[in-house]
Amino acid sequence: MSQFLCHDFKSPRTDMSRRLPSTMRMVPVIFYVVLMGSIFFIVKDWTDLNKASSDLIQANTRKEDAEAAKTKLLAEKGQIETEKFRAEGIAKWVEGTRVMQPISVAIARAMPPETNITELVLERNADFPAQVSMLLRLVNGGANEIEKVQKSLERLHYRSHSPQQARQGDLMEFRSMLVWQER
């Protein structure tokens, strides 16, 4: 008998394929390289996503801060505009008083000592700053004093337009529209 306990009962087969070429040994290596690359890119994308979300939060915070600063600056600008508007009104008022002061001084200087000015009203219209409405009330005055007033106003380049005189006892009332004349 034979020494082997087990006999190989395989028959030679002719329908078997050949072995794979040796280049196919690279397929598992390429699989693991691609798997590692995929893991690397997944981790990289995840960290980039976290960084982008934190950048977005910071950008939104900066945007809100900028909008708050813009709102504050607009409020300050509004206050400055209001103050500027008021200051321009005061400047116009002061500019208007420059016109009134020489008129009132000229009227006061034109009066003789025995005539008293009881009331002098000078009103300037904001729409027509070259026109001044005048009301003058005199005690112990007459047409001569009114004529002196008109001459002193003519020296200041004001023309009396539609003058009206009214007398009530010792009280003389003179109304007129003073119009600036360029010479």
PDB file of all heavy atoms in Angstrom, residues 98-135:
ATOM      1  N   ARG A  98     -29.765 143.487  11.275  1.00  0.00           N
ATOM      2  CA  ARG A  98     -28.815 144.474  10.750  1.00  0.00           C
ATOM      3  C   ARG A  98     -29.534 145.494   9.889  1.00  0.00           C
ATOM      4  O   ARG A  98     -29.158 146.656   9.851  1.00  0.00           O
ATOM      5  CB  ARG A  98     -27.732 143.776   9.925  1.00  0.00           C
ATOM      6  CG  ARG A  98     -26.737 143.080  10.746  1.00  0.00           C
ATOM      7  CD  ARG A  98     -25.598 142.602   9.883  1.00  0.00           C
ATOM      8  NE  ARG A  98     -24.844 141.600  10.619  1.00  0.00           N
ATOM      9  CZ  ARG A  98     -24.078 140.709  10.062  1.00  0.00           C
ATOM     10  NH1 ARG A  98     -23.950 140.673   8.760  1.00  0.00           N
ATOM     11  NH2 ARG A  98     -23.424 139.841  10.791  1.00  0.00           N
ATOM     12  N   VAL A  99     -30.552 145.061   9.182  1.00  0.00           N
ATOM     13  CA  VAL A  99     -31.325 145.970   8.351  1.00  0.00           C
ATOM     14  C   VAL A  99     -32.173 146.878   9.227  1.00  0.00           C
ATOM     15  O   VAL A  99     -32.344 148.067   8.941  1.00  0.00           O
ATOM     16  CB  VAL A  99     -32.212 145.164   7.376  1.00  0.00           C
ATOM     17  CG1 VAL A  99     -33.135 146.061   6.609  1.00  0.00           C
ATOM     18  CG2 VAL A  99     -31.347 144.345   6.449  1.00  0.00           C
ATOM     19  N   MET A 100     -32.699 146.343  10.311  1.00  0.00           N
ATOM     20  CA  MET A 100     -33.612 147.102  11.170  1.00  0.00           C
ATOM     21  C   MET A 100     -32.892 148.141  12.027  1.00  0.00           C
ATOM     22  O   MET A 100     -33.443 149.203  12.291  1.00  0.00           O
ATOM     23  CB  MET A 100     -34.385 146.144  12.092  1.00  0.00           C
ATOM     24  CG  MET A 100     -35.179 145.109  11.371  1.00  0.00           C
ATOM     25  SD  MET A 100     -36.446 145.863  10.387  1.00  0.00           S
ATOM     26  CE  MET A 100     -37.257 144.439   9.764  1.00  0.00           C
ATOM     27  N   GLN A 101     -31.706 147.856  12.461  1.00  0.00           N
ATOM     28  CA  GLN A 101     -31.012 148.777  13.362  1.00  0.00           C
ATOM     29  C   GLN A 101     -30.765 150.145  12.735  1.00  0.00           C
ATOM     30  O   GLN A 101     -31.079 151.170  13.356  1.00  0.00           O
ATOM     31  CB  GLN A 101     -29.696 148.154  13.832  1.00  0.00           C
ATOM     32  CG  GLN A 101     -29.908 147.000  14.781  1.00  0.00           C
ATOM     33  CD  GLN A 101     -28.619 146.256  15.086  1.00  0.00           C
ATOM     34  OE1 GLN A 101     -27.568 146.536  14.527  1.00  0.00           O
ATOM     35  NE2 GLN A 101     -28.708 145.304  15.993  1.00  0.00           N
ATOM     36  N   PRO A 102     -30.233 150.232  11.510  1.00  0.00           N
ATOM     37  CA  PRO A 102     -30.038 151.569  10.940  1.00  0.00           C
ATOM     38  C   PRO A 102     -31.348 152.324  10.719  1.00  0.00           C
ATOM     39  O   PRO A 102     -31.391 153.539  10.863  1.00  0.00           O
ATOM     40  CB  PRO A 102     -29.347 151.305   9.598  1.00  0.00           C
ATOM     41  CG  PRO A 102     -28.812 149.935   9.676  1.00  0.00           C
ATOM     42  CD  PRO A 102     -29.643 149.203  10.665  1.00  0.00           C
ATOM     43  N   ILE A 103     -32.421 151.573  10.403  1.00  0.00           N
ATOM     44  CA  ILE A 103     -33.720 152.218  10.198  1.00  0.00           C
ATOM     45  C   ILE A 103     -34.201 152.831  11.501  1.00  0.00           C
ATOM     46  O   ILE A 103     -34.621 153.994  11.541  1.00  0.00           O
ATOM     47  CB  ILE A 103     -34.749 151.214   9.638  1.00  0.00           C
ATOM     48  CG1 ILE A 103     -34.354 150.772   8.240  1.00  0.00           C
ATOM     49  CG2 ILE A 103     -36.144 151.809   9.629  1.00  0.00           C
ATOM     50  CD1 ILE A 103     -35.210 149.649   7.682  1.00  0.00           C
ATOM     51  N   SER A 104     -34.145 152.060  12.579  1.00  0.00           N
ATOM     52  CA  SER A 104     -34.621 152.582  13.866  1.00  0.00           C
ATOM     53  C   SER A 104     -33.761 153.741  14.346  1.00  0.00           C
ATOM     54  O   SER A 104     -34.275 154.727  14.899  1.00  0.00           O
ATOM     55  CB  SER A 104     -34.689 151.465  14.900  1.00  0.00           C
ATOM     56  OG  SER A 104     -33.407 150.909  15.081  1.00  0.00           O
ATOM     57  N   VAL A 105     -32.448 153.684  14.130  1.00  0.00           N
ATOM     58  CA  VAL A 105     -31.570 154.783  14.524  1.00  0.00           C
ATOM     59  C   VAL A 105     -31.877 156.028  13.698  1.00  0.00           C
ATOM     60  O   VAL A 105     -31.935 157.147  14.229  1.00  0.00           O
ATOM     61  CB  VAL A 105     -30.085 154.369  14.382  1.00  0.00           C
ATOM     62  CG1 VAL A 105     -29.162 155.547  14.543  1.00  0.00           C
ATOM     63  CG2 VAL A 105     -29.751 153.286  15.395  1.00  0.00           C
ATOM     64  N   ALA A 106     -32.083 155.862  12.388  1.00  0.00           N
ATOM     65  CA  ALA A 106     -32.396 157.004  11.523  1.00  0.00           C
ATOM     66  C   ALA A 106     -33.712 157.665  11.925  1.00  0.00           C
ATOM     67  O   ALA A 106     -33.819 158.900  11.942  1.00  0.00           O
ATOM     68  CB  ALA A 106     -32.448 156.553  10.069  1.00  0.00           C
ATOM     69  N   ILE A 107     -34.708 156.844  12.278  1.00  0.00           N
ATOM     70  CA  ILE A 107     -36.002 157.398  12.713  1.00  0.00           C
ATOM     71  C   ILE A 107     -35.839 158.142  14.028  1.00  0.00           C
ATOM     72  O   ILE A 107     -36.361 159.243  14.203  1.00  0.00           O
ATOM     73  CB  ILE A 107     -37.057 156.280  12.819  1.00  0.00           C
ATOM     74  CG1 ILE A 107     -37.389 155.744  11.429  1.00  0.00           C
ATOM     75  CG2 ILE A 107     -38.319 156.778  13.501  1.00  0.00           C
ATOM     76  CD1 ILE A 107     -38.257 154.501  11.425  1.00  0.00           C
ATOM     77  N   ALA A 108     -35.097 157.576  14.968  1.00  0.00           N
ATOM     78  CA  ALA A 108     -34.894 158.226  16.272  1.00  0.00           C
ATOM     79  C   ALA A 108     -34.133 159.539  16.128  1.00  0.00           C
ATOM     80  O   ALA A 108     -34.442 160.532  16.803  1.00  0.00           O
ATOM     81  CB  ALA A 108     -34.156 157.281  17.205  1.00  0.00           C
ATOM     82  N   ARG A 109     -33.145 159.580  15.248  1.00  0.00           N
ATOM     83  CA  ARG A 109     -32.367 160.805  15.052  1.00  0.00           C
ATOM     84  C   ARG A 109     -33.152 161.880  14.297  1.00  0.00           C
ATOM     85  O   ARG A 109     -32.858 163.067  14.428  1.00  0.00           O
ATOM     86  CB  ARG A 109     -31.076 160.489  14.310  1.00  0.00           C
ATOM     87  CG  ARG A 109     -30.089 159.773  15.177  1.00  0.00           C
ATOM     88  CD  ARG A 109     -28.786 159.575  14.480  1.00  0.00           C
ATOM     89  NE  ARG A 109     -27.855 158.867  15.359  1.00  0.00           N
ATOM     90  CZ  ARG A 109     -26.741 158.316  14.959  1.00  0.00           C
ATOM     91  NH1 ARG A 109     -26.385 158.383  13.686  1.00  0.00           N
ATOM     92  NH2 ARG A 109     -25.962 157.704  15.824  1.00  0.00           N
ATOM     93  N   ALA A 110     -34.128 161.490  13.530  1.00  0.00           N
ATOM     94  CA  ALA A 110     -34.918 162.470  12.762  1.00  0.00           C
ATOM     95  C   ALA A 110     -35.935 163.202  13.629  1.00  0.00           C
ATOM     96  O   ALA A 110     -36.448 164.244  13.225  1.00  0.00           O
ATOM     97  CB  ALA A 110     -35.629 161.762  11.616  1.00  0.00           C
ATOM     98  N   MET A 111     -36.234 162.689  14.803  1.00  0.00           N
ATOM     99  CA  MET A 111     -37.239 163.288  15.678  1.00  0.00           C
ATOM    100  C   MET A 111     -36.637 164.450  16.481  1.00  0.00           C
ATOM    101  O   MET A 111     -35.562 164.308  17.073  1.00  0.00           O
ATOM    102  CB  MET A 111     -37.797 162.259  16.665  1.00  0.00           C
ATOM    103  CG  MET A 111     -38.645 161.200  16.042  1.00  0.00           C
ATOM    104  SD  MET A 111     -40.115 161.903  15.349  1.00  0.00           S
ATOM    105  CE  MET A 111     -40.179 160.985  13.849  1.00  0.00           C
ATOM    106  N   PRO A 112     -37.338 165.553  16.537  1.00  0.00           N
ATOM    107  CA  PRO A 112     -36.881 166.642  17.413  1.00  0.00           C
ATOM    108  C   PRO A 112     -37.142 166.277  18.877  1.00  0.00           C
ATOM    109  O   PRO A 112     -37.946 165.388  19.163  1.00  0.00           O
ATOM    110  CB  PRO A 112     -37.720 167.841  16.955  1.00  0.00           C
ATOM    111  CG  PRO A 112     -38.874 167.285  16.218  1.00  0.00           C
ATOM    112  CD  PRO A 112     -38.464 165.931  15.708  1.00  0.00           C
ATOM    113  N   PRO A 113     -36.499 166.948  19.818  1.00  0.00           N
ATOM    114  CA  PRO A 113     -36.644 166.582  21.241  1.00  0.00           C
ATOM    115  C   PRO A 113     -38.057 166.717  21.788  1.00  0.00           C
ATOM    116  O   PRO A 113     -38.433 165.986  22.709  1.00  0.00           O
ATOM    117  CB  PRO A 113     -35.709 167.544  21.967  1.00  0.00           C
ATOM    118  CG  PRO A 113     -34.836 168.146  20.927  1.00  0.00           C
ATOM    119  CD  PRO A 113     -35.504 167.969  19.617  1.00  0.00           C
ATOM    120  N   GLU A 114     -38.876 167.579  21.248  1.00  0.00           N
ATOM    121  CA  GLU A 114     -40.230 167.767  21.794  1.00  0.00           C
ATOM    122  C   GLU A 114     -41.208 166.709  21.308  1.00  0.00           C
ATOM    123  O   GLU A 114     -42.299 166.570  21.839  1.00  0.00           O
ATOM    124  CB  GLU A 114     -40.765 169.170  21.462  1.00  0.00           C
ATOM    125  CG  GLU A 114     -40.964 169.453  19.991  1.00  0.00           C
ATOM    126  CD  GLU A 114     -39.720 170.025  19.313  1.00  0.00           C
ATOM    127  OE1 GLU A 114     -38.692 170.240  19.942  1.00  0.00           O
ATOM    128  OE2 GLU A 114     -39.802 170.220  18.099  1.00  0.00           O
ATOM    129  N   THR A 115     -40.834 165.908  20.323  1.00  0.00           N
ATOM    130  CA  THR A 115     -41.701 164.853  19.796  1.00  0.00           C
ATOM    131  C   THR A 115     -41.270 163.521  20.404  1.00  0.00           C
ATOM    132  O   THR A 115     -40.095 163.176  20.440  1.00  0.00           O
ATOM    133  CB  THR A 115     -41.582 164.780  18.263  1.00  0.00           C
ATOM    134  OG1 THR A 115     -41.876 166.061  17.714  1.00  0.00           O
ATOM    135  CG2 THR A 115     -42.555 163.757  17.706  1.00  0.00           C
ATOM    136  N   ASN A 116     -42.253 162.772  20.885  1.00  0.00           N
ATOM    137  CA  ASN A 116     -41.991 161.463  21.504  1.00  0.00           C
ATOM    138  C   ASN A 116     -42.492 160.343  20.594  1.00  0.00           C
ATOM    139  O   ASN A 116     -43.594 160.428  20.050  1.00  0.00           O
ATOM    140  CB  ASN A 116     -42.697 161.346  22.849  1.00  0.00           C
ATOM    141  CG  ASN A 116     -42.134 162.299  23.868  1.00  0.00           C
ATOM    142  OD1 ASN A 116     -40.967 162.648  23.827  1.00  0.00           O
ATOM    143  ND2 ASN A 116     -42.988 162.750  24.786  1.00  0.00           N
ATOM    144  N   ILE A 117     -41.675 159.305  20.479  1.00  0.00           N
ATOM    145  CA  ILE A 117     -42.087 158.103  19.750  1.00  0.00           C
ATOM    146  C   ILE A 117     -42.714 157.165  20.773  1.00  0.00           C
ATOM    147  O   ILE A 117     -42.047 156.703  21.691  1.00  0.00           O
ATOM    148  CB  ILE A 117     -40.889 157.424  19.062  1.00  0.00           C
ATOM    149  CG1 ILE A 117     -40.248 158.377  18.049  1.00  0.00           C
ATOM    150  CG2 ILE A 117     -41.320 156.142  18.378  1.00  0.00           C
ATOM    151  CD1 ILE A 117     -38.965 157.844  17.448  1.00  0.00           C
ATOM    152  N   THR A 118     -44.011 156.906  20.631  1.00  0.00           N
ATOM    153  CA  THR A 118     -44.668 155.992  21.570  1.00  0.00           C
ATOM    154  C   THR A 118     -44.579 154.547  21.108  1.00  0.00           C
ATOM    155  O   THR A 118     -44.516 153.639  21.931  1.00  0.00           O
ATOM    156  CB  THR A 118     -46.151 156.362  21.757  1.00  0.00           C
ATOM    157  OG1 THR A 118     -46.796 156.303  20.503  1.00  0.00           O
ATOM    158  CG2 THR A 118     -46.284 157.747  22.367  1.00  0.00           C
ATOM    159  N   GLU A 119     -44.551 154.377  19.804  1.00  0.00           N
ATOM    160  CA  GLU A 119     -44.483 153.004  19.290  1.00  0.00           C
ATOM    161  C   GLU A 119     -43.800 153.016  17.925  1.00  0.00           C
ATOM    162  O   GLU A 119     -44.104 153.849  17.075  1.00  0.00           O
ATOM    163  CB  GLU A 119     -45.893 152.416  19.159  1.00  0.00           C
ATOM    164  CG  GLU A 119     -45.907 150.961  18.801  1.00  0.00           C
ATOM    165  CD  GLU A 119     -47.323 150.381  18.793  1.00  0.00           C
ATOM    166  OE1 GLU A 119     -48.284 151.052  19.180  1.00  0.00           O
ATOM    167  OE2 GLU A 119     -47.432 149.216  18.362  1.00  0.00           O
ATOM    168  N   LEU A 120     -42.883 152.074  17.740  1.00  0.00           N
ATOM    169  CA  LEU A 120     -42.221 151.881  16.456  1.00  0.00           C
ATOM    170  C   LEU A 120     -42.188 150.377  16.193  1.00  0.00           C
ATOM    171  O   LEU A 120     -41.567 149.626  16.943  1.00  0.00           O
ATOM    172  CB  LEU A 120     -40.797 152.437  16.453  1.00  0.00           C
ATOM    173  CG  LEU A 120     -39.972 152.166  15.194  1.00  0.00           C
ATOM    174  CD1 LEU A 120     -40.611 152.801  13.978  1.00  0.00           C
ATOM    175  CD2 LEU A 120     -38.548 152.653  15.368  1.00  0.00           C
ATOM    176  N   VAL A 121     -42.872 149.961  15.163  1.00  0.00           N
ATOM    177  CA  VAL A 121     -42.936 148.546  14.813  1.00  0.00           C
ATOM    178  C   VAL A 121     -42.350 148.390  13.415  1.00  0.00           C
ATOM    179  O   VAL A 121     -42.833 149.010  12.464  1.00  0.00           O
ATOM    180  CB  VAL A 121     -44.389 148.013  14.846  1.00  0.00           C
ATOM    181  CG1 VAL A 121     -44.415 146.560  14.418  1.00  0.00           C
ATOM    182  CG2 VAL A 121     -44.992 148.198  16.217  1.00  0.00           C
ATOM    183  N   LEU A 122     -41.321 147.571  13.305  1.00  0.00           N
ATOM    184  CA  LEU A 122     -40.708 147.240  12.018  1.00  0.00           C
ATOM    185  C   LEU A 122     -40.846 145.734  11.817  1.00  0.00           C
ATOM    186  O   LEU A 122     -40.321 144.958  12.606  1.00  0.00           O
ATOM    187  CB  LEU A 122     -39.236 147.640  11.996  1.00  0.00           C
ATOM    188  CG  LEU A 122     -38.936 149.127  12.167  1.00  0.00           C
ATOM    189  CD1 LEU A 122     -37.452 149.344  12.359  1.00  0.00           C
ATOM    190  CD2 LEU A 122     -39.440 149.909  10.980  1.00  0.00           C
ATOM    191  N   GLU A 123     -41.568 145.345  10.784  1.00  0.00           N
ATOM    192  CA  GLU A 123     -41.779 143.922  10.512  1.00  0.00           C
ATOM    193  C   GLU A 123     -41.228 143.605   9.134  1.00  0.00           C
ATOM    194  O   GLU A 123     -41.510 144.314   8.172  1.00  0.00           O
ATOM    195  CB  GLU A 123     -43.264 143.572  10.557  1.00  0.00           C
ATOM    196  CG  GLU A 123     -43.880 143.697  11.914  1.00  0.00           C
ATOM    197  CD  GLU A 123     -45.367 143.378  11.897  1.00  0.00           C
ATOM    198  OE1 GLU A 123     -45.946 143.273  10.798  1.00  0.00           O
ATOM    199  OE2 GLU A 123     -45.934 143.248  12.977  1.00  0.00           O
ATOM    200  N   ARG A 124     -40.491 142.533   9.090  1.00  0.00           N
ATOM    201  CA  ARG A 124     -39.926 142.103   7.818  1.00  0.00           C
ATOM    202  C   ARG A 124     -40.567 140.794   7.415  1.00  0.00           C
ATOM    203  O   ARG A 124     -40.662 139.866   8.216  1.00  0.00           O
ATOM    204  CB  ARG A 124     -38.419 141.912   7.965  1.00  0.00           C
ATOM    205  CG  ARG A 124     -37.701 142.179   6.678  1.00  0.00           C
ATOM    206  CD  ARG A 124     -36.250 142.121   6.891  1.00  0.00           C
ATOM    207  NE  ARG A 124     -35.888 140.733   6.649  1.00  0.00           N
ATOM    208  CZ  ARG A 124     -34.718 140.218   6.875  1.00  0.00           C
ATOM    209  NH1 ARG A 124     -33.776 140.939   7.373  1.00  0.00           N
ATOM    210  NH2 ARG A 124     -34.476 138.965   6.616  1.00  0.00           N
ATOM    211  N   ASN A 125     -40.987 140.696   6.182  1.00  0.00           N
ATOM    212  CA  ASN A 125     -41.592 139.479   5.658  1.00  0.00           C
ATOM    213  C   ASN A 125     -40.479 138.550   5.196  1.00  0.00           C
ATOM    214  O   ASN A 125     -39.571 138.975   4.495  1.00  0.00           O
ATOM    215  CB  ASN A 125     -42.529 139.830   4.496  1.00  0.00           C
ATOM    216  CG  ASN A 125     -43.354 138.656   4.049  1.00  0.00           C
ATOM    217  OD1 ASN A 125     -43.123 137.526   4.463  1.00  0.00           O
ATOM    218  ND2 ASN A 125     -44.314 138.914   3.193  1.00  0.00           N
ATOM    219  N   ALA A 126     -40.544 137.282   5.583  1.00  0.00           N
ATOM    220  CA  ALA A 126     -39.507 136.317   5.193  1.00  0.00           C
ATOM    221  C   ALA A 126     -39.506 136.071   3.692  1.00  0.00           C
ATOM    222  O   ALA A 126     -38.473 135.775   3.107  1.00  0.00           O
ATOM    223  CB  ALA A 126     -39.702 134.997   5.934  1.00  0.00           C
ATOM    224  N   ASP A 127     -40.670 136.214   3.044  1.00  0.00           N
ATOM    225  CA  ASP A 127     -40.745 136.002   1.598  1.00  0.00           C
ATOM    226  C   ASP A 127     -40.142 137.159   0.808  1.00  0.00           C
ATOM    227  O   ASP A 127     -39.584 136.970  -0.261  1.00  0.00           O
ATOM    228  CB  ASP A 127     -42.196 135.793   1.172  1.00  0.00           C
ATOM    229  CG  ASP A 127     -42.785 134.530   1.780  1.00  0.00           C
ATOM    230  OD1 ASP A 127     -42.005 133.587   2.047  1.00  0.00           O
ATOM    231  OD2 ASP A 127     -44.005 134.483   1.982  1.00  0.00           O
ATOM    232  N   PHE A 128     -40.292 138.370   1.347  1.00  0.00           N
ATOM    233  CA  PHE A 128     -39.766 139.571   0.680  1.00  0.00           C
ATOM    234  C   PHE A 128     -38.867 140.327   1.653  1.00  0.00           C
ATOM    235  O   PHE A 128     -39.288 141.283   2.299  1.00  0.00           O
ATOM    236  CB  PHE A 128     -40.915 140.477   0.219  1.00  0.00           C
ATOM    237  CG  PHE A 128     -41.903 139.788  -0.670  1.00  0.00           C
ATOM    238  CD1 PHE A 128     -43.159 139.434  -0.199  1.00  0.00           C
ATOM    239  CD2 PHE A 128     -41.572 139.480  -1.972  1.00  0.00           C
ATOM    240  CE1 PHE A 128     -44.064 138.796  -1.018  1.00  0.00           C
ATOM    241  CE2 PHE A 128     -42.469 138.836  -2.799  1.00  0.00           C
ATOM    242  CZ  PHE A 128     -43.727 138.488  -2.325  1.00  0.00           C
ATOM    243  N   PRO A 129     -37.612 139.907   1.799  1.00  0.00           N
ATOM    244  CA  PRO A 129     -36.744 140.539   2.802  1.00  0.00           C
ATOM    245  C   PRO A 129     -36.368 141.974   2.480  1.00  0.00           C
ATOM    246  O   PRO A 129     -35.945 142.707   3.355  1.00  0.00           O
ATOM    247  CB  PRO A 129     -35.503 139.639   2.810  1.00  0.00           C
ATOM    248  CG  PRO A 129     -35.546 138.897   1.538  1.00  0.00           C
ATOM    249  CD  PRO A 129     -36.965 138.828   1.101  1.00  0.00           C
ATOM    250  N   ALA A 130     -36.558 142.435   1.251  1.00  0.00           N
ATOM    251  CA  ALA A 130     -36.229 143.814   0.901  1.00  0.00           C
ATOM    252  C   ALA A 130     -37.343 144.778   1.294  1.00  0.00           C
ATOM    253  O   ALA A 130     -37.180 145.983   1.185  1.00  0.00           O
ATOM    254  CB  ALA A 130     -35.957 143.926  -0.591  1.00  0.00           C
ATOM    255  N   GLN A 131     -38.467 144.249   1.774  1.00  0.00           N
ATOM    256  CA  GLN A 131     -39.593 145.094   2.176  1.00  0.00           C
ATOM    257  C   GLN A 131     -39.755 145.034   3.688  1.00  0.00           C
ATOM    258  O   GLN A 131     -39.720 143.968   4.285  1.00  0.00           O
ATOM    259  CB  GLN A 131     -40.882 144.624   1.515  1.00  0.00           C
ATOM    260  CG  GLN A 131     -40.863 144.738   0.013  1.00  0.00           C
ATOM    261  CD  GLN A 131     -42.151 144.233  -0.602  1.00  0.00           C
ATOM    262  OE1 GLN A 131     -43.047 143.783   0.098  1.00  0.00           O
ATOM    263  NE2 GLN A 131     -42.245 144.315  -1.919  1.00  0.00           N
ATOM    264  N   VAL A 132     -39.947 146.216   4.280  1.00  0.00           N
ATOM    265  CA  VAL A 132     -40.128 146.324   5.727  1.00  0.00           C
ATOM    266  C   VAL A 132     -41.416 147.102   5.967  1.00  0.00           C
ATOM    267  O   VAL A 132     -41.583 148.214   5.465  1.00  0.00           O
ATOM    268  CB  VAL A 132     -38.936 147.044   6.392  1.00  0.00           C
ATOM    269  CG1 VAL A 132     -39.177 147.202   7.884  1.00  0.00           C
ATOM    270  CG2 VAL A 132     -37.648 146.304   6.126  1.00  0.00           C
ATOM    271  N   SER A 133     -42.306 146.501   6.737  1.00  0.00           N
ATOM    272  CA  SER A 133     -43.541 147.188   7.099  1.00  0.00           C
ATOM    273  C   SER A 133     -43.272 148.008   8.359  1.00  0.00           C
ATOM    274  O   SER A 133     -42.746 147.493   9.350  1.00  0.00           O
ATOM    275  CB  SER A 133     -44.641 146.158   7.352  1.00  0.00           C
ATOM    276  OG  SER A 133     -45.803 146.798   7.791  1.00  0.00           O
ATOM    277  N   MET A 134     -43.656 149.306   8.309  1.00  0.00           N
ATOM    278  CA  MET A 134     -43.346 150.194   9.433  1.00  0.00           C
ATOM    279  C   MET A 134     -44.632 150.795   9.981  1.00  0.00           C
ATOM    280  O   MET A 134     -45.511 151.229   9.230  1.00  0.00           O
ATOM    281  CB  MET A 134     -42.419 151.316   8.965  1.00  0.00           C
ATOM    282  CG  MET A 134     -42.072 152.284  10.065  1.00  0.00           C
ATOM    283  SD  MET A 134     -41.017 153.635   9.526  1.00  0.00           S
ATOM    284  CE  MET A 134     -42.175 154.637   8.645  1.00  0.00           C
ATOM    285  N   LEU A 135     -44.721 150.846  11.315  1.00  0.00           N
ATOM    286  CA  LEU A 135     -45.785 151.547  12.023  1.00  0.00           C
ATOM    287  C   LEU A 135     -45.107 152.464  13.023  1.00  0.00           C
ATOM    288  O   LEU A 135     -44.312 152.013  13.857  1.00  0.00           O
ATOM    289  CB  LEU A 135     -46.713 150.561  12.739  1.00  0.00           C
ATOM    290  CG  LEU A 135     -47.693 151.176  13.733  1.00  0.00           C
ATOM    291  CD1 LEU A 135     -48.709 152.057  13.018  1.00  0.00           C
ATOM    292  CD2 LEU A 135     -48.394 150.109  14.523  1.00  0.00           C
TER     293      LEU A 135
END
